[in-house]
Amino acid sequence: MPRLGALFLLVAIFSAAVCAIVYQLLIGSVSSYFLGNSVEQFSLTIGFFLAAMGLGSWLSRFVADDLLLTRLAQLEIWLGLLGGISVGVLYVLYGYTDHFRVGMLALSTAIGALIGLEVPLITRLLRGHGTLRTALSNVLSLDYLGALLASLLFPYILLPFLGSLHTALVAGLVNAVLGLGVVLAFKGVLEQRTFRWLGAQALVVIAVLGALAWQGEGLRARWESDLYEDRIVHSEQSAYQQIVLTRRDEHLRLYLNGHLQFASIDEHRYHEALVHPAMALALSRERVLIIGGGDGLTAREVLKYAEVQHVDLVDLDPAVTRLAQRNIHLTRLNDNALNRRQVRVINEDGFVFLQREHVPYGAILIDLPDPREESLAKLYSVEAYRLCRKLLSPQGVLATQASSPYHVREAYWSIAAALEEAGFAVHSYHLHVPSFGEWGFHLAGPDGLDPTAASFAVPTRYIDRQVWSALAVFDGDMARLPVQANRLDRPVLARYYRQSTSTQF
Ligand code: SAM
């Protein structure tokens, strides 16, 4: 083993480790984007990857010593191809077949098995250069270090700046170039025929991945547009979510991770119902807190009140609030709300903000995506509502969207139970929002509530006194159920939500 060759193998194991973690994170996050329930997707991806890596390590015993270099080059090239196209394959599986789950698990297994071969093959090769003890310690330490680098690069640089498709292609190119590197670094050791054959394979894979990277944006846009009904006018992968804005004629729709957040045709029904009952009942409207609501539509309704002097809008994702501040279609729809002088946009997790803040608000409006994930469900918990309660001024009012009392009945009533356990008096109501279906909210007051006292003093299209009085009737299909409150240490909500959506939607 030439000294330079040994050094190259150590660089190779480090880079391969980075790519290996990147593939796992990619498959986990793209699957979460399509199927939701990120805990399940990441558990399955990591489990199948690790088991397949075990399989790969076991299979390595069948590689004869004289074929170690050939097999290593070959596996890097194949891994490059498979990993490189992995995200594209997932898009196609989701968009055009009914076999996403099986395909995703097969992909994880195949990539994991190839990755599992890397460490044993490289360790055996390096053993020729020193003792087994040093070979193992070098290989494993670089392998674990590479994993750390990948897990730092992925959320902060790769996903936000390259997007999932190009991240996969770049990782694939790294593996294929490593394959080519093995062939070139050990040219003298390999047979001429093997050298040419492996070199040609590596070059073809590099060319294919390069071409895909070149054309990738167009392809991704085509696959993505097949997933949405209307024309996509903005698509962006932020560090937190996939953001898609679509438009047909004058109608806009915003999707986060494939889930509809609003349709301009009927969003006024949702936003008026969220905002105006709370604003009508709040004793003071000078300071308002909005948690979520990065599209600016809740803020638009709040700013209809002349008394409002200060609105804090806490949305996790700067990419959403930037879009709502800059996209001409959105600023028209939200009446430029997020650029108005009264509004302070804070890009932070709502729970962290609630823990830190002390100055009270007259009204708190919670406009978050549905609690389909534990990370979102924590903001619909007893603990989050207790923090809100501390932040409400005397006779302040909280209103939260609470998903559908019809489609996710347990989840809807679990949110009411959490508010009550946090010490609020709760008034529940629902209405029909055609794009969403039957939709529910809860109004909550720390010092009791008299919903009949609400009068609507600003211009509205949907809500008025008469409509308001009709929203609190729940028929037998939506009536309250005896469900548990969601707590941080007993997170039942996302499970209630997913159970209902898996049987009903
Ligand atoms: N009306 C919508 C619905 O029915 O689902 C909610 C719309 S609004 C655009 C939801 C916002 O909540 C998004 O902009 C998202 O970035 C934000 N968000 C998600 N998780 C959050 C968190 N933990 N803290 C603060 N904002 C969050």
Side-chain angles (χ1 to χ4, degrees), residues 241 261 270 295 315-316 320 349-350 367-369 376 379 436:
Q241 53 210 345
Q261 301 296 302
Y270 170 102
D295 49 30
D315 192 293
L316 185 62
V320 177
D349 178 78
D367 185 17
L368 289 166
L376 277 162
L379 275 151
F436 282 5

Side-chain angles (χ1 to χ4, degrees), residues 240-241 254 256 259-262 270-271 274 291-296 298 314-318 320-321 346 348-351 367-370 372 375-376 378-380 401 436 439:
Y240 303 102
Q241 53 210 345
L254 177 71
L256 297 179
H259 301 288
L260 182 64
Q261 301 296 302
F262 74 76
Y270 170 102
H271 291 101
L274 172 66
I291 299 180
D295 49 30
T298 295
V314 184
D315 192 293
L316 185 62
D317 195 347
V320 177
T321 50
I346 299 154
E348 189 175 28
D349 178 78
F351 201 90
D367 185 17
L368 289 166
D370 285 2
R372 56 176 63 79
S375 60
L376 277 162
K378 75 174 191 272
L379 275 151
Y380 295 84
Q401 85 97 352
F436 282 5
W439 216 253

Side-chain angles (χ1 to χ4, degrees), residues 84-85 87-88 91-92 162-170 207-225 235:
I85 61 170
V87 170
Y91 265 84
V92 172
L162 286 183
S164 53
L165 189 76
H166 279 90
T167 298
L169 290 168
V170 167
V208 168
L209 295 179
L212 285 174
W214 184 258
Q215 291 299 318
E217 200 37 49
L219 278 175
R220 193 196 57 77
R222 229 183 70 207
W223 291 331
E224 198 164 62
S225 75
S235 169

Side-chain angles (χ1 to χ4, degrees), residues 281-284 361-363 392-398 424 444-449:
L281 292 172
L283 186 67
S284 151
Y361 298 91
L392 273 175
S393 52
Q395 292 184 49
V397 180
L398 175 151
F424 282 104
D447 313 308
L449 269 178

